[in-house]
Structures are given as C-alpha cells and as structure tokens.
Amino acid sequence: MPARRPETAPLVGRFVTIEPMTEAAIPELERAIRRPEVFAGGYGGGPSGLPADADRFAEFARGSYTPAEDGLPFAVRLRGGPDDGTIVGATKLGDLDLVNESAHLGWTAYDPRVWGTAVNPETKLLVLGLAFDHGFGRVKLQADAVNARSRAAIERLGARFEGVLRRVQRRPDGSWRDTAVYSILADEWAAVRAGLEARLAERGDHPVELAARAAAE
C-alpha cells in the first residue's frame, strides 16, 4: 500500500486527545511548555532557545507547528478528569515523503507535570498508528545527542538506534548540535504497538491530573 497523507482529524485515546494544531491553541501551549526545564534538554535548540515572553513563543510555535503539505502538527490535550481538555504539549508528524514512504515524528514537548505519565506513550501510540495505517514504511525519531531523557524515552518505545549525525544544526547560542537518530519500520510496528499498549494497560483508566502530579513532586 503506497503511503498517503493522513487526514487532519483528532485522534482520541484513553488519556489524551491529539488534535490538529491551530493558532488559537498557541497561548495555552505557551503556558504548558514555555518552561526552562522543557528547553533544558535540547528542545527548541536548548536553554538559549527558550522564548523570552509569550509573543516570542508565538513566533517560535508558528515556525514549528504551522500545518504544511509535508507536516501535520498536533496539540496534545488531556482526556477525562478535572483537567479534561487542557493542552499539555505538542508533537508533529513531519518530513512526509510519500514516494519513499517515510516520515519524522518529532517536535515533541510536554508540560513537566505530565512527564512520566501515560501522556507520551499514548501520544506515540496514536501518531505512530496514524503513520503506519497510512502506508508509511519508516518513521524517524530523533533527539539532541546530549538529551538523555528524550533519548531514553525513544529507546523505551522500541525504536532502533541508527547513529549520530554530527554537527547538523546550529543552536540559538551558536553552538552545534549532534543529533541521535532512531527509527521504527512498518514490520516492527506490531511489536512496538504491543509494548505501548502494555505500558498503558498498567496505568488502568484513571485520568492524568495536573494537580495530583504537581503535589506528588
């Protein structure tokens, strides 16, 4: 089955709803992820890429999450519980190459209050499923080579490490980023999906609650 560009429609899970990014979502996304700890590991170019205020964040978000022919950006909203509908992050299925059946799942960031919850596993389950259901044969995932937390999360998905691309992107502070590259192939998806579903099953059905997470920390 040749790759097809996915439709722009919400993806609904047990813990999150993944919906196409809009301009109206940017202020709420800013409140969720314009935080030093989010940029510390390499997101957005690292600490020096942290936007100084809401207006600069809006410029950054438009550059990263504006829909395009080769990119489908999504806002991640909690589903259920007292925080139902709250935006807690963003991700994008980008670099869509229909001829070569490849895509890049990245540009992902979350409110620190949902780190370690069901949010990332279910987001990955939904967006990877969207890609493979539309005929893509390879989905790339990558992270700044120094971002240990993001690399561990990618590896826990079951993605295969391909190597490090050296000096591939200039950071806002002028330094150069090395990028660790991983991928999941279509014939590996069944095993990856089963692993994600097992991780989510361990969490039961209780919704993710921001206040509960903040109190626990």
Side-chain angles (χ1 to χ4, degrees), residues 14-64:
R14 292 207 318 272
F15 303 98
V16 297
T17 297
I18 313 299
E19 66 178 28
M21 183 69 74
T22 65
E23 179 79 15
I26 290 177
E28 193 171 356
L29 180 64
E30 184 261 334
R31 292 191 290 274
I33 68 171
R34 189 175 68 85
R35 301 167 182 259
E37 57 268 48
V38 173
F39 284 75
Y43 172 75
S48 61
L50 176 65
D53 53 34
D55 289 341
R56 287 178 173 79
F57 179 86
E59 294 174 6
F60 164 78
R62 292 185 192 107
S64 299

Side-chain angles (χ1 to χ4, degrees), residues 130-142:
L130 181 72
F132 290 117
D133 287 348
H134 283 78
F136 287 87
R138 176 179 184 269
V139 176
K140 177 179 72 173
L141 303 99
Q142 64 184 36

Side-chain angles (χ1 to χ4, degrees), residues 200-213:
L200 292 169
E202 293 173 356
R203 299 181 179 274
D205 293 316
H206 188 74
V208 175
E209 297 183 20
L210 297 178
R213 289 287 300 172

